Amino acid sequence: MRHSLVSIRTPAALLASVLVLSLLPSAMAAQGGGMMGRGRGRGMMGDSTAAAVMPIVHDLMTNHQKLRRTVTVLSNGVRTVTESDDSSMVAQLQAHVATTGVLMARSQDLNVPPASPTLRQLLARGATVTRVVEHTPKGVIVTETSTDSTSVALLQAHAAEVTELVNRGMAAMHDKMMPRMRPPPR
């Protein structure tokens, strides 16, 4: 089985990745789960992985109008460029990309209801994806490829989902989340 490859192209990207790799396990253990990481038990947001990831996702979605994104669909994956003129958004983008890289390398699910089925399947297949991350002064360029056709389709579908989140923010997240949280009809 092929393992995920993460290629770091800048010193800042290396530093951010090392920081995320070193802090994620302790942040996950310290948080102990909770709704958006705020200590309310495991609840809606799943486990400690969610507690470590969701606050950044929430900030990115709340401030989506400060982000811009382009996606190039490749025959074997995607190349995405996500940027902002706001330095705090840039830092959060770079941290988020580093964290998701760790999750993909571990084939680890986020364990959160808002996560799309596409993302869950993609994370489970993380070992089939090659990921090249480049930090820019305004954000991040991520090229994700695979020789596995299912993973390629998932990469392309998830890139479209993330673009919708960048364009519509929390409204897009709620549209995706709410149908899965409703009880089935009787």
Side-chain angles (χ1 to χ4, degrees):
M1 178 179 280
R2 201 176 78 164
H3 294 283
S4 293
L5 169 71
V6 178
S7 175
I8 306 298
R9 300 227 173 151
T10 66
L14 177 61
L15 179 60
S17 296
V18 168
L19 182 62
V20 167
L21 284 169
S22 65
L23 293 179
L24 185 60
S26 60
M28 288 167 50
Q31 291 289 331
M35 179 100 146
M36 302 299 284
R38 291 184 178 95
R40 295 183 189 139
R42 292 196 183 274
M44 177 182 139
M45 288 297 115
D47 63 13
S48 56
T49 303
V53 172
M54 288 308 292
I56 290 177
V57 171
H58 186 267
D59 262 4
L60 290 170
M61 294 305 91
T62 301
N63 295 292
H64 71 98
Q65 72 282 0
K66 295 180 181 179
L67 303 173
R68 60 188 170 275
R69 177 174 167 89
T70 59
V71 176
T72 303
V73 175
L74 308 172
S75 61
N76 62 343
V78 292
R79 178 179 187 269
T80 62
V81 180
T82 311
E83 295 184 312
S84 177
D85 295 324
D86 182 314
S87 61
S88 68
M89 290 289 97
V90 171
Q92 289 190 47
L93 278 170
Q94 292 173 346
H96 178 66
V97 167
T99 301
T100 57
V102 171
L103 296 173
M104 283 191 72
R106 293 178 181 171
S107 294
Q108 181 179 345
D109 193 345
L110 281 171
N111 287 326
V112 294
S116 74
T118 305
L119 176 59
R120 286 200 153 95
Q121 293 172 40
L122 185 56
L123 288 171
R125 302 177 74 82
T128 68
V129 175
T130 299
R131 191 173 217 241
V132 178
V133 175
E134 182 177 354
H135 287 191
T136 70
K138 300 242 179 204
V140 66
I141 300 169
V142 181
T143 304
E144 295 173 307
T145 59
S146 181
T147 57
D148 174 69
S149 61
T150 300
S151 294
V152 171
L154 290 167
L155 287 167
Q156 293 170 349
H158 183 61
E161 290 175 342
V162 173
T163 298
E164 183 180 358
L165 292 170
V166 167
N167 290 338
R168 297 183 49 231
M170 293 301 285
M173 184 178 284
H174 288 145
D175 287 351
K176 294 285 184 191
M177 181 175 71
M178 295 319 284
R180 288 192 306 275
M181 294 188 67
R182 286 187 198 113
R186 294 181 187 201

